[in-house]
Amino acid sequence: MVGARIILVAQILLYSGLDPQTSPESRETVLVSNKTIMMGAPLEWAYPPDIIICNTSDVEVSTAIRATEFWKKLGYKFGDIRVAERDDYICAMGKPPLNQILIDIPSQGFQFGKHLGTTRTWHYTESSLAIRAKIEIVKGWGNAARVLEHEIGHAFGWRDNSKTGHIMNGSWSLSGLNSQGLRKLEIPE
């Protein structure tokens, strides 16, 4: 089925902590990359997302630049990249501001030993418009550009695949820099 989208809405809303009855964000759904089945087009961002690197993360700006360059070659756009100050409350809250991709250390519930990184992307299900994303990467892997490139792929809505040598392969040992099928298509207005 072309463009079909299957999302585990009940589990995702529960995971996100949103109250569908009272939350002003009740139309917002969290796309958790390892718990969502997604087919079809990737998510769109209203504006090129800024990237905020929490000061507790070992991801360096140069690694984030390298990772975004990978996606820029495929037609994706990004805003600014910056490191959060020590007293920046954004990282402590754990929920990125609108139109931001937050890079941090793993939070409670992270499946150590199973993942090197994970991404949560908040988006509107009706329009597939991405609102914010949070990438968590295990200490010691922050400067492995391929890990960050893979996680940024989830922030754009791409899910894990099983193609050997592909950037979106969910297994580090089987992944690579193949980007077949990820090029952003420009749709004329």
Side-chain angles (χ1 to χ4, degrees), residues 126-137:
E126 296 87 4
S127 66
S128 299
L129 183 68
I131 305 166
R132 58 179 64 111
K134 182 179 182 188
I135 295 173
E136 298 176 351
I137 297 179

Side-chain angles (χ1 to χ4, degrees), residues 1 4 19 38 51 63 113 163 168:
M1 187 182 284
D19 179 353
M38 183 177 158
I51 295 178
T63 304
K163 297 176 187 170
M168 294 311 297

Side-chain angles (χ1 to χ4, degrees), residues 38-110:
M38 183 177 158
M39 297 176 284
L43 299 174
E44 290 289 331
W45 289 77
Y47 303 97
D50 291 331
I51 295 178
I52 301 172
I53 303 169
C54 293
N55 66 345
T56 53
S57 170
D58 61 358
V59 173
E60 295 178 6
V61 172
S62 60
T63 304
I65 290 170
R66 228 171 43 231
T68 57
E69 288 301 321
F70 175 88
W71 287 97
K72 285 178 182 180
K73 289 176 186 172
L74 297 172
Y76 296 85
K77 296 179 181 173
F78 296 88
D80 297 329
I81 299 173
R82 72 174 177 91
V83 176
E85 299 294 327
R86 282 188 74 113
D87 59 351
D88 195 328
Y89 194 59
I90 292 169
C91 293
M93 289 202 32
K95 186 175 180 181
L98 292 175
N99 214 68
Q100 309 278 322
I101 298 173
L102 185 68
I103 301 173
D104 203 356
I105 58 173
S107 58
Q108 187 175 355
F110 187 90

Side-chain angles (χ1 to χ4, degrees), residues 26-41:
S26 62
R27 295 177 42 156
E28 185 178 300
T29 301
V30 176
L31 170 69
V32 181
S33 62
N34 61 352
K35 293 187 180 181
T36 302
I37 301 168
M38 183 177 158
M39 297 176 284

